[in-house]
Amino acid sequence: MLLCVGGGIAAYKSCEVARLCGKAGAELRVALTPAAQRFVTALTFQALTGRAASTDLFDAQQELAAGHIALADWAEVAVVAPATADLLARLRAGSADDVVTATLLAVDPSRWLLAPAMNERMWGSPATVENVRVLRERGARLVGPATGEMAERSHTGPGRMSEPPEIVEAIAAALAPRDLAGVPVLVTAGPTREALDPVRFLSNPSSGRMGFALAEAARDRGAQVTLIAGPTEVAPPAGVRCVRIVSAQEMQEAIDDALDGARAVVMAAAVSDQRPAQAAPQKVKKKEGEEVLRLVRTPDILAGLGARYAAGARRPVLVGFAAETEKVEEHAREKLEKKNLDLIVANDVSARDTGFGSGTNRVVVLDRDGGRAELSGSKLAVAHAIWDRVRDRLR
Ligand code: C5P
């Protein structure tokens, strides 16, 4: 990958981007604009990457070592961080007056990943808004900007460069294989809520993150994703069709509506197994003493799909999740068979660094042919590993 550094104060964070990419195994070269070199030095990147950085289009030695066209041909992805207002304007115009713009002009914009960084008023200016729109239309991807405190402390708003780990994740996404191109898939995420009355419900602490990571990974691999999500704090990924539901019954209906043609159904949602037998139409008043709450079963959506598509030719690949606190694999294997699934993803939700609400996960994937794999890492990395297995079963 090629890291192009623009001239903004966020350039110091690009050093960390370079370090993290190297750690993740990327082959990395760096180019700096003249303005970037007033914030960080080529020597910094040379120390981090073990290779000389490109700084001067007219330096005979540099052009001999790695000419800007050779650099453009070589890069699978070109990351611009920070993408300053000036750099965005010059990229839109097609300038080629320094090593960064001259190289990028020879790279297809669909391989650009821009991490904008500027003051919030510069970001909101009509010129920048138009430049960004045009660059997106040409196929460039963006990561960020984030909202928060600016270098000028009194300013806050959108314009901060995304944090390095987020940029690295976006780079990984840009490099994802397009092996699900055009494949319709259905993913569920988050909890359901089962109403007791208009202001109370039964639910669970699912954050939706694992399901959202699955939707994001499928999107990056080219799938047509329908995401059916319960109530979550976290926002769903952009670029997927997201249907919001509240109860298990609504999830069932949304799935029935979206199922037609789906080649895979991945049920990462933590669906409530039971609901109150009756939901009171008005807020229930406090009573003295004990009370008994009568619960009834919600439909087991996934088991319903497993039964409906017993072995039909049009059967989608069915993937379930099993959140367990003990005998994790044993219980998961039972569910795989009982619900007639292709794959089940088992995780131990009693562990602290995995499961509900956490950014990372450690799971065991079991398949109907007896296969078993242990996966761990960020939820996005785990999601990609799950899609690898779904893709193999689609063939
Ligand atoms: O049986 P258990 O609830 O542990 O199974 C979990 C799997 O079944 C998950 O994939 C979940 O999304 C799905 N499920 C469902 N409908 C329910 C309960 C769980 O589809 N009512």
Side-chain angles (χ1 to χ4, degrees):
M1 55 167 281
L2 173 66
L3 175 63
C4 298
V5 185
I9 180 58
Y12 80 91
K13 290 201 220 170
S14 301
C15 305
E16 181 67 359
V17 172
R19 193 185 69 81
L20 292 175
C21 288
K23 208 170 136 203
E27 230 184 286
L28 177 66
R29 294 194 184 173
V30 180
L32 295 97
T33 63
Q37 294 166 61
R38 304 180 72 150
F39 290 93
V40 286
T41 70
L43 193 60
T44 313
F45 288 100
Q46 182 173 316
L48 288 166
T49 65
R51 276 175 159 162
S54 301
T55 53
D56 187 352
L57 192 56
F58 303 106
D59 181 305
Q61 281 304 321
Q62 284 188 16
E63 271 299 291
L64 201 61
H68 67 280
I69 299 297
L71 205 53
D73 284 343
W74 169 84
E76 274 184 51
V77 61
V79 182
V80 185
T84 60
D86 175 67
L87 196 44
L88 292 174
R90 292 194 296 129
L91 290 174
R92 187 225 168 145
S95 300
D97 54 354
D98 63 37
V99 71
V100 165
T101 51
T103 306
L104 287 170
L105 196 58
V107 176
D108 190 275
S110 64
R111 289 193 284 138
W112 296 0
L113 178 69
L114 311 173
M118 66 199 74
N119 168 277
E120 85 283 2
R121 287 206 294 271
M122 294 167 78
W123 173 250
S125 77
T128 303
V129 168
E130 194 183 316
N131 291 336
V132 168
R133 180 181 56 75
V134 171
L135 291 168
R136 274 191 210 271
E137 278 170 14
R138 292 180 191 161
R141 295 169 183 243
L142 265 79
V143 49
T147 297
E149 193 177 90
M150 298 287 141
E152 314 81 3
R153 292 278 170 70
S154 55
H155 288 242
T156 55
R160 268 174 75 90
M161 190 168 89
S162 295
E163 292 306 317
E166 202 184 323
I167 295 176
V168 173
E169 217 158 77
I171 296 167
L175 290 168
R178 305 281 297 173
D179 55 358
L180 296 174
V183 176
V185 302
L186 219 156
V187 177
T188 67
T192 64
R193 287 180 181 172
E194 311 302 327
L196 285 151
D197 70 17
V199 294
R200 302 184 181 100
F201 52 79
L202 297 179
S203 192
N204 61 68
S206 167
S207 66
R209 281 198 179 87
M210 190 62 229
F212 290 174
L214 281 154
E216 186 180 338
R219 175 202 69 192
D220 290 338
R221 295 166 84 138
Q224 274 172 37
V225 184
T226 301
L227 172 64
I228 298 173
T232 61
E233 290 278 330
V234 183
V240 306
R241 188 169 84 90
C242 181
V243 181
R244 286 289 193 176
I245 55 87
V246 176
S247 65
Q249 185 60 44
E250 286 174 20
M251 179 165 284
Q252 169 86 74
E253 288 159 16
I255 288 179
D256 287 342
D257 286 347
L259 193 59
D260 197 27
R263 304 272 317 278
V265 180
V266 182
M267 287 282 301
V271 185
S272 303
D273 291 317
Q274 280 157 329
R275 64 172 172 83
Q278 260 162 358
Q282 304 299 334
K283 183 178 169 189
V284 176
K285 290 289 167 203
K286 246 190 232 85
K287 296 187 194 98
E288 293 304 325
E290 283 182 9
E291 268 189 79
V292 175
L293 178 62
R294 232 169 67 77
L295 299 175
V296 293
R297 282 295 309 264
T298 55
D300 189 320
I301 305 168
L302 193 54
L305 294 178
R308 184 179 333 171
Y309 289 108
R314 286 168 48 81
R315 178 185 157 97
V317 175
L318 297 179
V319 184
F321 274 69
E324 304 290 346
T325 54
E326 54 164 3
K327 296 191 189 149
V328 177
E329 284 191 49
E330 195 182 318
H331 287 156
R333 176 76 55 199
E334 277 167 23
K335 276 180 199 171
L336 175 82
E337 276 155 28
K338 204 165 124 225
K339 301 194 190 204
N340 189 21
L341 308 178
D342 297 280
L343 295 171
I344 195 150
V345 183
N347 72 347
D348 184 349
V349 285
S350 63
R352 219 183 311 140
D353 57 337
T354 64
F356 288 137
S358 140
T360 59
N361 214 346
R362 194 168 55 235
V363 302
V364 177
V365 183
L366 305 175
D367 69 39
R368 62 189 291 143
D369 308 316
R372 175 188 185 281
E374 285 180 29
L375 309 174
S376 65
S378 70
K379 286 188 169 171
L380 192 62
V382 170
H384 274 291
I386 293 170
W387 285 117
D388 287 345
R389 285 163 177 78
V390 172
R391 176 210 54 210
D392 291 345
R393 303 193 78 89
L394 282 171
R395 285 186 179 148

